[in-house]
Amino acid sequence: MAEHDFRYTLLNPQHTLTECRALAPGQYQVTGQGGSIQAGDTLQVSLKGSKSLSMRLQVSKVRHLINPPGQWTAVTTGPVFKELAIHTWQVNCDGCGSLLDLEFAVDASLGKAALQPAAEQRLQEVGWENRHGRHLCRACQQTEA
């Protein structure tokens, strides 16, 4: 069971994705080139419309194609989104005033109530913390500990 990185930032023509589409919420079909993908592997793919976000997909079935050589199609499972939306918010550190352009994904079908929890979760992923309503960058977390 291997992990394969297909994010845009790699730009490796021998190891690329051709298509990633949702079959149902949480189930995706991925077509790519290279990487020797097998059932049980994990694929890390960029989210369409995002500069930095990605998601991890578990390969449940894979079919290696004869033509073109090295191409494959896989059925995968991953995060459940009925309607994926990418948002960008600016967050100021309440300790030092530094600015973070926070990009996060949210299921748009959940409405505006889902925005704040999704943003807070992404803040934690990038190393920021919310202490009693105060957003703190990594440096300020250590000085206020």
Side-chain angles (χ1 to χ4, degrees), residues 1-2 38-42 58-61:
M1 293 193 210
Q38 302 296 322
D41 287 356
T42 302
Q58 281 297 124
V59 177
S60 52
K61 289 192 302 189

Side-chain angles (χ1 to χ4, degrees), residues 4-80:
H4 305 274
D5 196 340
F6 285 97
R7 290 176 289 180
Y8 296 142
T9 54
L10 295 181
L11 297 176
N12 182 355
Q14 289 78 35
H15 195 79
T16 59
L17 286 186
T18 308
E19 178 185 44
C20 182
R21 66 183 181 100
L23 299 173
Q27 188 175 35
Y28 304 88
Q29 179 177 307
V30 181
T31 303
Q33 179 82 25
S36 301
I37 307 301
Q38 302 296 322
D41 287 356
T42 302
L43 306 178
Q44 190 163 1
V45 299
S46 296
L47 291 180
K48 184 176 181 177
S50 168
K51 294 176 189 166
S52 62
L53 296 175
S54 61
M55 67 178 170
R56 295 168 52 92
L57 303 173
Q58 281 297 124
V59 177
S60 52
K61 289 192 302 189
V62 66
R63 187 181 68 181
H64 295 274
L65 305 175
I66 295 171
N67 199 8
Q71 191 169 30
W72 47 266
T73 298
V75 175
T76 64
T77 57
V80 177

Side-chain angles (χ1 to χ4, degrees), residues 53-54 102-105 118-129 138:
L53 296 175
S54 61
L102 180 71
E103 186 177 49
F104 63 97
E120 290 293 339
Q121 180 182 352
R122 181 68 179 147
L123 265 177
Q124 289 178 353
E125 290 172 7
V126 298
W128 282 48
E129 193 174 286
R138 290 180 187 198

